[in-house]
Amino acid sequence: MGVIDIYNTSSFFLIKPNNNINQFVIPQRPTCCSFGGNHIRVIAMNSTIPVLHELNEVQQRLTGDAFIRPHLRQLSPYQSILPFEVLSARLGRKPEDIIKLDANENPYGPPPEVFEALGSLKFPYIYPDPESRRLRAALAEDSGLESDHILVGCGADELIDLIMRCVLDPGDKILDCPPTFTMYEFDAAVNNALVLKVLRKPDFSLNVEQIAEVVSLEKPKIIFLTSPNNPDGSIINDGDLLKILELPILVVLDEAYIEFSGLESRMKWVKKHDNLIVLRTFSKIAGLAGLRVGYGAFPLSIIQYLWRAKQPYNVSVAAEVSACAALQNPTYLEMVKNVLSQERERLFKLLKDVPFLEPYPTFSNFILCEVTSGKDAKKLKEDLAQMGVMIRHYNNKELKGFVRVSVGKPEQTDALMACLKRLS
Ligand SMILES: Cc1ncc(COP(=O)(O)O)c(C=O)c1O
């Protein structure tokens, strides 16, 4: 038994041995244990249960994950690729000596104007323009689509999530066509949406009939289409896209790799189709993956809501300046596209000659290969990593026996081929 004096409080908590927490509000009128003003005295009796034990149980009930939304507690962690500095440290090599062919980056990097612009940033201490006006004007000129249809994001990845946040209520459905870019599924899980899947055909083309059936039966709100598709590089033809646009569903067409296909972007189609969004990025052709700039073309009826929901400063000053600078040198971007397209043809032929690889035709800056002749795809990726060559392998069941190789510089192709020879 003891006495506790309490000052300056309107309520206090009593932890009882049965783990209930009782809150006592101090009455307005004086009681027998109140001394008036803001001083009260409480008589407390010692519990027979050790205090430590009681606290542990209370703490247990209040561990951090109790605060997390239930659907997020079910989420499996995003499987990101190993940063190349980590691999280089593990192998005891310089980062620039790692042959990085696992994330479809552009090994030539951005045009020199980007480095100049970054080196002479005048106002890094001022928040960026929330409407990225300079960049949107430059994009309008580049694409031929008015800037009111264009919104810029921290990578196309941010826009995928933003679209879902604006369109989906918890429990709504999206339609995914795997094998494809896995961020659609990931973001759907974060946004508490269900993912319906219509698998691609063996040649990776879309199963349009089945898509129409699932749309009519299950009423998903968004379908994500990728052209060229990651990981195989196949494209969607106009006929298939138009059939899907006829359906009562919002179509998000991801054109992250369109520049490598030699085909025109469908950005301007958003003026004719009120259910179409087209996404693009500076990460691939412009070599700005590390600066995070993507953009989308939207119908006016949709874009106004994205403006309302986006983070005001989602595109940094450095990102906007770099993207504008990259657009100032279309000759460089064209040159990079041509060099990488030529290297893609050479790499394809060389991979075809590897006895345990079957490469798929591609319209992008990467080549998907089936790993044959009893070789294990995961082990192949690990063996190459040990030699300082990074390629992509997948854990999902559709692509377990496949690897994806990004198109690099000719010397990177040569290094890859030398390592594959050692593994033959
Ligand atoms: C199909 C596809 N869309 C979008 C992205 C992401 O683009 P960003 O770097 O602009 O977020 C990628 C990146 O690999 C991709 O493969």
Side-chain angles (χ1 to χ4, degrees):
M1 179 130 65
V3 173
I4 307 170
D5 283 309
I6 301 170
Y7 298 88
N8 291 326
T9 189
S10 59
S11 68
F12 64 94
F13 292 87
L14 180 69
I15 300 168
K16 297 209 298 191
N18 65 0
N19 286 332
N20 289 332
I21 297 176
N22 285 0
Q23 183 185 17
F24 291 83
V25 178
I26 296 165
Q28 295 296 319
R29 278 193 279 136
T31 65
C32 59
C33 62
S34 170
F35 290 81
N38 46 22
H39 177 196
I40 73 158
R41 177 165 287 173
V42 179
I43 298 168
M45 200 166 346
N46 220 356
S47 162
T48 51
I49 299 173
V51 172
L52 194 63
H53 174 69
E54 286 174 34
L55 278 182
N56 278 346
E57 287 194 348
V58 171
Q59 278 168 344
Q60 248 177 31
R61 277 203 310 131
L62 292 178
T63 54
D65 61 353
F67 298 107
I68 302 295
R69 297 169 71 192
H71 76 278
L72 293 180
R73 275 188 256 147
Q74 317 289 325
L75 209 65
S76 32
Y78 181 68
Q79 212 200 350
S80 67
I81 53 171
L82 192 68
F84 78 129
E85 288 99 333
V86 175
L87 181 66
S88 75
R90 270 189 207 166
L91 297 177
R93 294 193 199 178
K94 287 189 284 182
E96 46 276 34
D97 290 344
I98 299 296
I99 312 287
K100 192 168 181 329
L101 304 174
D102 60 347
N104 306 335
E105 288 129 338
N106 175 348
Y108 293 97
E113 284 82 352
V114 169
F115 295 100
E116 284 157 28
L118 283 174
S120 54
L121 270 190
K122 275 209 199 109
F123 303 111
Y125 51 91
I126 302 286
Y127 283 108
D129 171 10
E131 295 181 29
S132 308
R133 273 167 262 234
R134 254 192 77 210
L135 178 53
R136 285 172 48 240
L139 283 169
E141 205 176 310
D142 182 67
S143 65
L145 178 70
E146 294 82 355
S147 64
D148 348 350
H149 287 274
I150 299 173
L151 189 140
V152 185
C154 176
D157 279 350
E158 189 206 6
L159 298 178
I160 295 167
D161 179 57
L162 182 61
I163 293 164
M164 288 198 195
R165 286 199 286 121
C166 289
V167 173
L168 300 173
D169 281 316
D172 276 347
K173 298 165 189 164
I174 70 149
L175 186 42
D176 197 25
C177 302
T180 192
F181 187 41
T182 47
M183 284 302 283
Y184 315 133
E185 196 175 349
F186 169 82
D187 282 320
V190 172
N191 284 285
N192 204 2
L194 301 173
V195 181
L196 306 172
K197 296 185 183 182
V198 172
L199 291 187
R200 285 167 179 265
K201 295 178 183 169
D203 64 352
F204 295 101
S205 61
L206 294 174
N207 190 334
V208 180
E209 293 70 33
Q210 217 179 325
I211 288 172
E213 221 174 287
V214 172
V215 170
S216 130
L217 284 175
E218 300 284 339
K219 314 218 172 340
K221 282 181 104 174
I222 316 178
I223 181 169
F224 286 87
L225 302 176
T226 321
S227 182
N229 187 42
N230 176 4
D232 62 287
S234 63
I235 49 167
I236 300 172
N237 63 45
D238 280 1
D240 282 353
L241 182 57
L242 286 167
K243 274 189 213 156
I244 296 169
L245 282 166
E246 289 291 304
L247 304 172
I249 190 163
L250 177 60
V251 178
V252 177
L253 177 65
D254 185 340
E255 292 189 334
Y257 302 97
I258 191 71
E259 295 86 354
F260 301 106
S261 70
L263 301 167
E264 212 188 307
S265 163
R266 273 121 169 187
M267 275 178 76
K268 285 192 241 168
W269 285 33
V270 302
K271 290 176 84 168
K272 275 191 284 169
H273 300 275
D274 231 35
N275 61 337
L276 174 65
I277 293 172
V278 179
L279 299 181
R280 296 185 61 183
T281 182
F282 281 85
S283 295
K284 310 298 174 181
I285 188 68
L288 291 180
L291 279 150
R292 314 302 301 125
V293 206
Y295 56 103
F298 300 83
L300 297 179
S301 55
I302 291 180
I303 198 167
Q304 52 175 315
Y305 298 100
L306 278 93
W307 279 118
R308 295 181 204 182
K310 87 166 184 71
Q311 296 288 331
Y313 305 124
N314 58 333
V315 181
S316 75
V317 171
E320 184 175 9
V321 157
S322 307
C324 288
L327 289 176
Q328 278 166 20
N329 195 342
T331 316
Y332 176 94
L333 301 181
E334 183 68 15
M335 184 271 292
V336 163
K337 183 191 93 178
N338 291 336
V339 170
L340 285 172
S341 303
Q342 270 171 26
E343 190 58 19
R344 171 178 72 199
E345 305 318 314
R346 186 172 88 95
L347 176 64
F348 186 88
K349 285 194 192 114
L350 290 168
L351 290 172
K352 202 134 187 61
D353 287 341
V354 176
F356 52 86
L357 291 179
E358 192 52 62
Y360 278 72
T362 172
F363 285 83
S364 198
N365 64 335
F366 49 81
I367 299 176
L368 185 72
C369 300
E370 188 170 358
V371 182
T372 58
S373 314
K375 246 203 186 329
D376 183 74
K378 186 161 181 271
K379 171 119 185 8
L380 173 63
K381 176 223 140 119
E382 287 164 356
D383 289 346
L384 286 171
Q386 282 311 308
M387 297 182 221
V389 177
M390 298 171 81
I391 63 166
R392 184 85 155 92
H393 168 259
Y394 304 85
N395 279 334
N396 55 358
K397 64 175 184 309
E398 298 105 24
L399 289 173
K400 247 191 162 50
F402 289 78
V403 290
R404 190 196 64 198
V405 184
S406 306
V407 179
K409 293 180 174 175
E411 58 270 30
Q412 294 179 312
T413 302
D414 296 341
L416 166 73
M417 296 318 297
C419 293
L420 285 172
K421 205 162 185 184
R422 280 171 60 193
L423 294 172
S424 290

